[in-house]
Amino acid sequence: MGTKARILVVDDEPGFRKTLSDILRAKGYAAVSVDKGKTALEMAKDENPIVALIDLKLEDMSGLEVMREIKQRSPVTQCIVLTGNASQASAIEAVNLGAYSYMHKPYDVEQLMVTIRRAIEKREVERALRESETKYRLLIHNLPNIVFKGYRDWSVHFIDDKIDLLTGYKKEEFDSRKMNWADIVVKEDIEKIKKIFLQALKTDKSYVREYRIITKTGDILWIQEGSQIVCDGSGEIEFITGAFLDITERKRAEKKIHDLAYYDGVTRLPNRQLFREHLSRALAYAKRHKRLLAVLFLDLDHFKQINDTLGHHVGDLLLRRVADRLKKILRKSDLITRHEADDSISYVSRFGGDEFVLLLTDLKQPHDAANVAQRALYELSKAFVLEEREIFVSGSIGISLYPSDGEDIDTLIKNADTAMYHAKNQGRNNFQFYVDSVKVTTSERRLILGTDLRGALEHEELILYYQPQLDINTEKIIGTEALIRWLHPDLGLVSPTEFIPLAEEAGLIEPINEWVLRTACSQNLAWQAAGFPPMRVAVNFSNLSFKQRRIVKTISRVLRDIGMAPQLLEIELTEGTLVRNEKETIRALEQLKELGICVAIDDFGTGHFSLYHLRHYPFDAIKIDRCFIKDIGAAQDSTAITTAIIAMARGLQLRVIAEGVETQQQLTFLRLQDCDEVQGYLFSRPVPSNDIIQLLSTGIT
Ligand code: C2E
Ligand code: CA
Ligand code: CA
């Protein structure tokens, strides 16, 4: 570099300005620093800096405004935004305004220097491009270039002498019709340029097209052809005339710029931007052809440590080797089918830092993605030899799948990233699917639910559903079971199996229970008031809630408040409540019995207590757990247990309810065994109270 590259530093912190300018000067740059936006703009005009390092927060104007103005005055000045407070929005805006890069303070000196070097490189290319464009524009206007006249069959009637200089073929070779123009056009480009010709024929008969030709020495050149189709009176093509221009240099510069914008400078892999474009195309393909695809987010473990101890130089080398190994996996992978269509190829890209992202298209099954991840981990585990040093690394991989984990670019990338963090949490050097990482975040969900539960009652987010219980012989509804649900504002309907234990932990079970009891009894009376015959309503009490000392008092108070006959209330308790022969439990049960309230043992058969022991407890009914009912006819054990439970209950003169009845066969079997009542999806799912009215008036069929 002859003259020193000029760099403008714009920052309102004097200390920061000074240190940065000193560093830049030490690195051989001509640094100028200013504190105000206005001064920066004046400087930019006079000094025409190559690179501007701009702080976002300035006293008189925002760094983004400064950048916008600089870019307007001198588009080739490369702006790098440096900022102390990182916000995604300002980063995006900076890049949209044409910032070359965006860095956080405190910045890493070496990283900053690399970025500055690349920015200078980019400016050079852009400047050269601008120059050559102006040059060519001049040429087009002043010189006819290589003028020709030809026919529709590509034969040449006349061509400029200069064709020799361009292609190495003599003018005479074309003139004598020994050669056609098509002979030197690159085959792949023929279709494309024919299309443009036919299009022009339909419109104004003139066209400009860019394509490649092969010279006599085998070089490939890009040319631009601007032509006019000349027709005779009857509309037939008479001839074509125009001029060629060599645009190879321009194309090269364009490619360089494209590469700088779409490829990572260190590994030459596609960058985030290009990856998103690939993914977008692959998604469209997968949607059209109903295919499965996967995004693998790979993060090297402890890469920063390597970078810090061995230096950026070794760090960059390592990234390049990692890129090579990942590319090799995709090349070799026989798991991934390949199509002719460009849209269905798998890619590796680097998102920056130590993050690599793989796109696997057209998988046969999710497991294929796991295989690739496994192979990637294996490849990484082999030693890297860098500058005669052996280095060992590992990685953590997160996998998201289309369509199950997301249907758009952002969701898939975000979910793969989430899964990657989960892999890190699992101790690194492993891979995780997004679905599984979500399962683990149920701990997060628990946290949310636990926190929100307190307000649930207050905000009336709890609701009761009712499931009919029927007499097995008449199939008439003789009662309902109240089942609670929580309509969470963000998470939707939450199951009681999920939040009842949380309510117990949080000490909220008592008020919830009372609310259920009150609501269920009021509802039951409301049905009666609407003209339906009195029926029973069953309310569940969890193990813990029944142990509350005040339980009997609470129940009798609620019944009194509402004015419902105690005989219409059934309390459902699980075996667990009774196992330990606690005097208090027995006393509570006896008191309930005295009041005339029914007690049923829920989920019977799942505990390890025999009915024989339970006979000491005063209760009225048992509900055979649905796991036995489900297996009736299929598993001998279940069938035998059901038979035995019903027979024993008969002997003890207990009422038997079968829950979870889903099929006609189950019903028939239960009827033969002399079961009393049934409840299950065969008749109705748990439904809101309004739907019960419907069922009561029309009956269940
Ligand atoms: P549970 O008392 O055994 O309630 C029966 C469960 O089986 C209900 O689930 C019901 O929807 C489901 N079910 C009914 N028929 C069928 C069927 O044919 N097939 C299948 N597969 N399932 C059927 P749900 O409503 O999710 O309730 C789950 C558990 O939550 C209940 O089990 C109960 O232990 C508890 N629970 C529900 N409401 C309350 C409440 O208000 N308070 C307390 N403490 N616990 C409650
Ligand atoms: Ca129940
Ligand atoms: Ca049950």
Side-chain angles (χ1 to χ4, degrees), residues 602-603 625-626 659:
D602 204 353
D603 300 350
D625 191 71
R626 61 181 178 278
E659 68 174 355

PDB file of all heavy atoms in Angstrom, residues 602-603 625-626 659, ligand 3:
ATOM      1  N   ASP A 602     -61.454 -43.746  43.894  1.00  0.00           N
ATOM      2  CA  ASP A 602     -61.098 -43.489  42.495  1.00  0.00           C
ATOM      3  C   ASP A 602     -59.889 -44.337  42.083  1.00  0.00           C
ATOM      4  O   ASP A 602     -59.121 -44.754  42.944  1.00  0.00           O
ATOM      5  CB  ASP A 602     -60.747 -42.000  42.366  1.00  0.00           C
ATOM      6  CG  ASP A 602     -60.934 -41.492  40.958  1.00  0.00           C
ATOM      7  OD1 ASP A 602     -61.211 -42.299  40.042  1.00  0.00           O
ATOM      8  OD2 ASP A 602     -60.789 -40.277  40.769  1.00  0.00           O
ATOM      9  N   ASP A 603     -59.732 -44.551  40.818  1.00  0.00           N
ATOM     10  CA  ASP A 603     -58.557 -45.256  40.270  1.00  0.00           C
ATOM     11  C   ASP A 603     -58.309 -46.572  40.993  1.00  0.00           C
ATOM     12  O   ASP A 603     -57.164 -46.940  41.236  1.00  0.00           O
ATOM     13  CB  ASP A 603     -57.293 -44.394  40.391  1.00  0.00           C
ATOM     14  CG  ASP A 603     -57.415 -43.082  39.647  1.00  0.00           C
ATOM     15  OD1 ASP A 603     -58.391 -42.927  38.884  1.00  0.00           O
ATOM     16  OD2 ASP A 603     -56.564 -42.225  39.832  1.00  0.00           O
ATOM     17  N   ASP A 625     -60.149 -48.437  37.768  1.00  0.00           N
ATOM     18  CA  ASP A 625     -59.275 -47.563  36.985  1.00  0.00           C
ATOM     19  C   ASP A 625     -59.346 -47.879  35.501  1.00  0.00           C
ATOM     20  O   ASP A 625     -59.449 -49.039  35.101  1.00  0.00           O
ATOM     21  CB  ASP A 625     -57.832 -47.684  37.474  1.00  0.00           C
ATOM     22  CG  ASP A 625     -56.977 -46.600  36.853  1.00  0.00           C
ATOM     23  OD1 ASP A 625     -57.149 -45.431  37.222  1.00  0.00           O
ATOM     24  OD2 ASP A 625     -56.177 -46.917  35.961  1.00  0.00           O
ATOM     25  N   ARG A 626     -59.227 -46.826  34.696  1.00  0.00           N
ATOM     26  CA  ARG A 626     -59.425 -47.022  33.254  1.00  0.00           C
ATOM     27  C   ARG A 626     -58.335 -47.852  32.586  1.00  0.00           C
ATOM     28  O   ARG A 626     -58.533 -48.354  31.486  1.00  0.00           O
ATOM     29  CB  ARG A 626     -59.618 -45.696  32.534  1.00  0.00           C
ATOM     30  CG  ARG A 626     -58.483 -44.709  32.613  1.00  0.00           C
ATOM     31  CD  ARG A 626     -58.850 -43.438  31.865  1.00  0.00           C
ATOM     32  NE  ARG A 626     -57.785 -42.450  31.957  1.00  0.00           N
ATOM     33  CZ  ARG A 626     -57.618 -41.647  32.999  1.00  0.00           C
ATOM     34  NH1 ARG A 626     -58.448 -41.712  34.020  1.00  0.00           N
ATOM     35  NH2 ARG A 626     -56.618 -40.795  33.015  1.00  0.00           N
ATOM     36  N   GLU A 659     -64.665 -46.660  34.767  1.00  0.00           N
ATOM     37  CA  GLU A 659     -64.354 -45.408  34.056  1.00  0.00           C
ATOM     38  C   GLU A 659     -63.476 -45.692  32.844  1.00  0.00           C
ATOM     39  O   GLU A 659     -62.807 -46.721  32.770  1.00  0.00           O
ATOM     40  CB  GLU A 659     -63.697 -44.387  34.988  1.00  0.00           C
ATOM     41  CG  GLU A 659     -62.301 -44.764  35.455  1.00  0.00           C
ATOM     42  CD  GLU A 659     -61.653 -43.631  36.247  1.00  0.00           C
ATOM     43  OE1 GLU A 659     -62.255 -42.531  36.337  1.00  0.00           O
ATOM     44  OE2 GLU A 659     -60.561 -43.846  36.782  1.00  0.00           O
TER      45      GLU A 659
HETATM   46 CA    CA B   3     -60.056 -42.218  37.898  1.00  0.00          CA
END
